[in-house]
Amino acid sequence: GAVVSQHPSRVICKSGTSVKIECRSLDFQATTMFWYRQFPKQSLMLMATSNEGSKATYEQGVEKDKFLINHASLTLSTLTVTSAHPEDSSFYICSARDPWAGGEQYFGPGTRLTVT
Amino acid sequence: LAKTTQPISMDSYEGQEVNITCSHNNIATNDYITWYQQFPSQGPRFIIQGYKTKVTNEVASLFIPADRKSSTLSLPRVSLSDTAVYYCLVGDADRGGSYIPTFGRGTSLIVHP
């Protein structure tokens, strides 16, 4: 089946620095990818929809200048957490939709971000 | 987007059948019902998807009544490794749709020895 990868799997950074997380669809092309954030013992919260070749669509309450999303190709979307703070520490998950597999969504393994 | 309601938690024992029901009263005509499983610190994993009646695969069955306002995920003979959170999602998953997977609270299933 289709696979979505994320890199890195976990990252620790200092407060004030920026961190980039990559999401790749390995064997299919995805015009749309989604970014989620998940805090401990909570559900996945959609942050934004990443559209290849155009600007991302952010959910209400998500700062687009803080969470930069770039979808430069049909297989890669990146999420950059700028000027990270401890409250940004979370589990970030991306997903991609394979339009030729009945629209099934495939989720990445997630990235654990810890801001110290 | 159709809102879903699931029990927050369930307990079971190894070898038993587990049925998790999801309510989605305002499901739209084009909406599919999809269930995911999530282990701690991992991304959700697709379990099964259906539109109506019954769907079965190698890991689960999905029962959808005629009015489609609810669905039941059935896990036969669960094992300890089935302990996870299960999410029910509803949306237009057609290849031409603008489906945005939106997660509710999910059901935390704990399987006891």
Side-chain angles (χ1 to χ4, degrees):
Chain A
V3 175
V4 174
S5 70
Q6 284 184 240
H7 178 80
S9 58
R10 57 180 62 234
V11 57
I12 300 173
C13 71
K14 292 187 176 181
S15 186
T17 61
S18 295
V19 173
K20 179 184 286 187
I21 303 170
E22 294 185 347
C23 177
R24 294 182 185 272
S25 56
L26 297 185
D27 54 5
F28 66 98
Q29 294 183 332
T31 56
T32 303
M33 292 183 175
F34 302 98
W35 286 97
Y36 296 84
R37 179 167 52 181
Q38 186 175 33
F39 293 106
K41 297 192 182 300
Q42 294 187 24
S43 183
L44 285 75
M45 292 182 57
L46 180 66
M47 298 176 66
T49 301
S50 174
N51 304 299
E52 188 270 335
S54 65
K55 292 183 178 180
T57 304
Y58 291 82
E59 294 299 299
Q60 190 172 9
V62 178
E63 300 175 59
K64 61 181 180 181
D65 294 330
K66 180 172 182 61
F67 298 99
L68 302 179
I69 291 173
N70 184 281
H71 195 152
S73 76
L74 288 171
T75 59
L76 172 65
S77 175
T78 60
L79 168 68
T80 301
V81 183
T82 63
S83 187
H85 291 285
E87 56 265 32
D88 298 323
S89 298
S90 188
F91 193 54
Y92 292 85
I93 303 169
C94 71
S95 74
R97 178 172 168 269
D98 184 351
W100 302 108
E104 184 173 328
Q105 287 286 332
Y106 297 95
F107 289 83
T111 297
R112 174 74 60 192
L113 169 63
T114 303
V115 184
T116 61
Chain B
L1 294 174
K3 180 180 178 181
T4 60
T5 303
Q6 304 174 230
I8 294 176
S9 63
M10 293 183 69
D11 288 87
S12 184
Y13 292 90
E14 284 190 291
Q16 289 189 335
E17 178 185 76
V18 171
N19 296 309
I20 306 174
T21 297
C22 177
S23 297
H24 28 80
N25 291 320
N26 58 339
I27 188 170
T29 302
N30 293 332
D31 287 348
Y32 283 76
I33 301 158
T34 311
W35 285 81
Y36 290 90
Q37 175 192 57
Q38 186 184 28
F39 297 112
S41 296
Q42 294 187 26
R45 183 177 74 97
F46 173 89
I47 301 175
I48 197 166
Q49 183 181 81
Y51 183 82
K52 62 180 180 181
T53 61
K54 176 184 176 182
V55 179
T56 298
N57 61 23
E58 61 275 10
V59 298
S61 294
L62 179 59
F63 299 92
I64 306 168
D67 65 6
R68 304 201 325 123
K69 293 183 182 299
S70 67
S71 60
T72 299
L73 173 71
S74 181
L75 305 173
R77 299 179 297 282
V78 294
S79 63
L80 296 176
S81 61
D82 292 317
T83 293
V85 178
Y86 293 82
Y87 294 97
C88 160
L89 276 69
V90 173
D92 182 1
D94 184 19
R95 68 173 60 177
S98 57
Y99 175 49
I100 300 177
T102 304
F103 288 78
R105 291 190 170 187
T107 298
S108 176
L109 171 66
I110 299 176
V111 179
H112 302 275

